[in-house]
Amino acid sequence: MSKLSSSQERELREAFEIFDKDGSNSISSKELRDVFRALEINASESQVQAAMKQMDRNGDGEISFSEFKRVMEVQFYRKYTNDEIRCIFDHFDRDNSGFITADELREALSKIGKTFRNEEIERMIKAIDKDNDGRISINEFVELLK
């Protein structure tokens, strides 16, 4: 039984669809490798295969949504350290302004092969942006991850 709320499950579905670039309803090892590369994670082929093996419970060589959800569900309840949060935030904040802008979010998402309309990016920002200044501060980012 899932501990996720319907909105958390929807968020996971959206993330899964970003990674599933070919729309096959599964994530292949190539797509997983592309995700690592886009996130600037220098993973060797053996590390990618180990991640696949960990997630691919039925051994079919693909990660289904249910397999993805099983692994990622843990992340919703994980507590991140301040250093981890800062590192993730800095990855998005390319101009080191102290804020994640719509352009920076769009750029990060495009690196994993997904293009979003301006309205979609704005909706993502708005969901996190508590002070309504059109950008995500470190404090707003912390609230997202804590």
Side-chain angles (χ1 to χ4, degrees):
M1 174 116 166
S2 177
K3 298 181 264 181
L4 298 175
S5 68
S6 61
S7 70
Q8 289 172 325
E9 186 152 343
R10 195 170 36 256
E11 287 177 42
L12 272 184
R13 174 60 76 177
E14 288 172 6
F16 181 82
E17 289 171 359
I18 289 170
F19 301 150
D20 177 21
K21 291 197 276 185
D22 65 2
S24 65
N25 290 319
S26 63
I27 299 171
S28 67
S29 61
K30 180 191 180 316
E31 288 167 327
L32 186 60
R33 188 177 316 105
D34 291 345
V35 169
F36 285 158
R37 193 173 303 120
L39 296 174
E40 297 177 5
I41 298 171
N42 294 321
S44 68
E45 185 59 31
S46 63
Q47 290 169 318
V48 172
Q49 292 309 316
M52 280 295 293
K53 186 175 181 178
Q54 178 188 17
M55 296 174 83
D56 179 20
R57 298 295 279 207
N58 66 6
D60 67 355
E62 303 275 322
I63 301 168
S64 68
F65 178 68
S66 63
E67 291 168 329
F68 179 79
K69 184 173 95 170
R70 180 188 53 78
V71 171
M72 297 306 292
E73 182 174 44
V74 173
Q75 298 305 311
F76 275 101
Y77 299 101
R78 180 176 183 260
K79 297 296 181 199
Y80 292 92
T81 67
N82 289 337
D83 287 343
E84 288 172 320
I85 293 170
R86 173 54 73 178
C87 183
I88 296 165
F89 183 84
D90 290 346
H91 181 77
F92 285 97
D93 180 21
R94 292 296 194 180
D95 65 0
N96 298 312
S97 66
F99 297 95
I100 299 170
T101 64
D103 288 339
E104 289 169 327
L105 181 58
R106 184 179 298 104
E107 178 186 342
L109 293 172
S110 72
K111 285 184 177 182
I112 54 176
K114 288 293 186 174
T115 305
F116 290 90
R117 295 186 322 271
N118 288 340
E119 305 83 47
E120 293 171 311
I121 295 290
E122 288 171 17
R123 191 174 67 236
M124 290 177 207
I125 295 281
K126 193 174 203 169
I128 302 166
D129 177 22
K130 301 301 180 204
D131 64 5
N132 297 314
D133 66 354
R135 55 194 183 167
I136 302 168
S137 69
I138 184 65
N139 291 334
E140 292 163 335
F141 196 73
V142 165
E143 285 301 310
L144 174 69
L145 295 179
K146 289 243 174 173

